[in-house]
């Protein structure tokens, strides 16, 4: 199949079976993150929605469980503007001792007023770049364990 600007996430995964795949989608409770989670879950993947707003993510997960029939969608707290939060998320995931097949770094903020994180970084740069870098590097053992993992970074 040929993909283009109007291709949907469901079209892209149509010929794939993701049973047994573990996936993390940052910012998976809004925008294209929801569509990403929907597409991956519809093909059987275990998907973690990593987000600051766990209540909203849990509502999204509940809706997508019903829509896709995949019960393996969960919400987990992750604040990418905080290195302590990233470290906590990484530790929680690594404690599962499971491979991470796909990491989708989707979350981001834009047009934020000038502010600084607890770690001293400008908030937009911290959230969109430093947080995702720290997350990816922290999850490296699980990505390596998957043998042919994929890391997708949206901008």
């Amino acid at each position: 199949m040929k993909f283009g600007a109007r291709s949907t996430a469901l079209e892209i995964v149509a010929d794939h079976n993701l049973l047994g795949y573990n996936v993390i989608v940052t910012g998976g409770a809004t925008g294209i993150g929801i569509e990403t989670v929907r597409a991956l879950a519809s093909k059987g993947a275990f998907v973690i929605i990593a987000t600051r707003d766990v209540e909203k993510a849990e509502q999204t997960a509940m809706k997508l469980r019903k829509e896709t029939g995949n019960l393996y969608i969960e919400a987990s707290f992750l604040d990418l503007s905080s290195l302590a939060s990233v470290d906590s998320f990484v530790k929680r995931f690594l404690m599962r001792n499971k491979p991470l097949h796909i990491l989708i770094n989707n979350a981001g903020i834009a047009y934020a007023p000038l502010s600084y994180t607890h770690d001293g970084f400008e908030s937009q740069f911290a959230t969109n770049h430093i947080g995702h870098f720290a997350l990816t590097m922290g999850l490296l053992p699980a990505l390596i364990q998957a043998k042919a993992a994929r890391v997708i970074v949206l901008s």
Side-chain angles (χ1 to χ4, degrees):
M1 176 175 224
K2 194 171 184 181
F3 301 116
R6 297 191 191 282
S7 298
T8 68
L10 289 171
E11 290 171 339
I12 292 168
V13 299
D15 296 331
H16 297 277
N17 178 353
L18 298 177
L19 282 171
Y21 278 62
N22 299 309
V23 181
I24 295 171
V25 180
T26 67
T30 59
I32 63 172
I34 292 174
E35 298 309 315
T36 302
V37 173
R38 176 181 285 115
L40 296 166
S42 74
K43 302 312 283 183
F46 167 69
V47 184
I48 297 173
I49 302 170
T51 182
R52 288 180 299 186
D53 190 343
V54 177
E55 185 178 320
K56 185 175 188 175
E58 188 51 54
Q59 291 171 359
T60 299
M62 198 171 4
K63 177 184 173 192
L64 293 178
R65 284 184 209 115
K66 288 178 187 173
E67 281 182 24
T68 65
N70 182 341
L71 301 178
Y72 301 104
I73 306 169
E74 71 179 49
S76 185
F77 180 74
L78 171 63
D79 180 354
L80 288 162
S81 71
S82 165
L83 292 176
S85 177
V86 172
D87 186 55
S88 176
F89 178 89
V90 165
K91 285 178 180 170
R92 288 192 317 271
F93 185 83
L94 294 179
M95 281 178 40
R96 296 172 181 233
N97 197 30
K98 292 187 174 196
L100 177 58
H101 300 93
I102 303 170
L103 171 61
I104 301 180
N105 291 327
N106 167 71
I109 60 172
Y111 311 110
L114 180 62
S115 64
Y116 294 88
T117 67
H118 179 73
D119 300 307
F121 302 109
E122 187 275 324
S123 62
Q124 186 169 314
F125 182 66
T127 302
N128 298 354
H129 301 285
I130 295 172
H132 278 125
F133 177 78
L135 178 66
T136 303
M137 295 309 293
L139 292 171
L140 204 52
L143 291 162
I144 290 169
Q145 185 182 355
K147 298 200 181 2
R150 299 288 185 262
V151 177
I152 296 97
V153 180
L154 285 75
S155 63

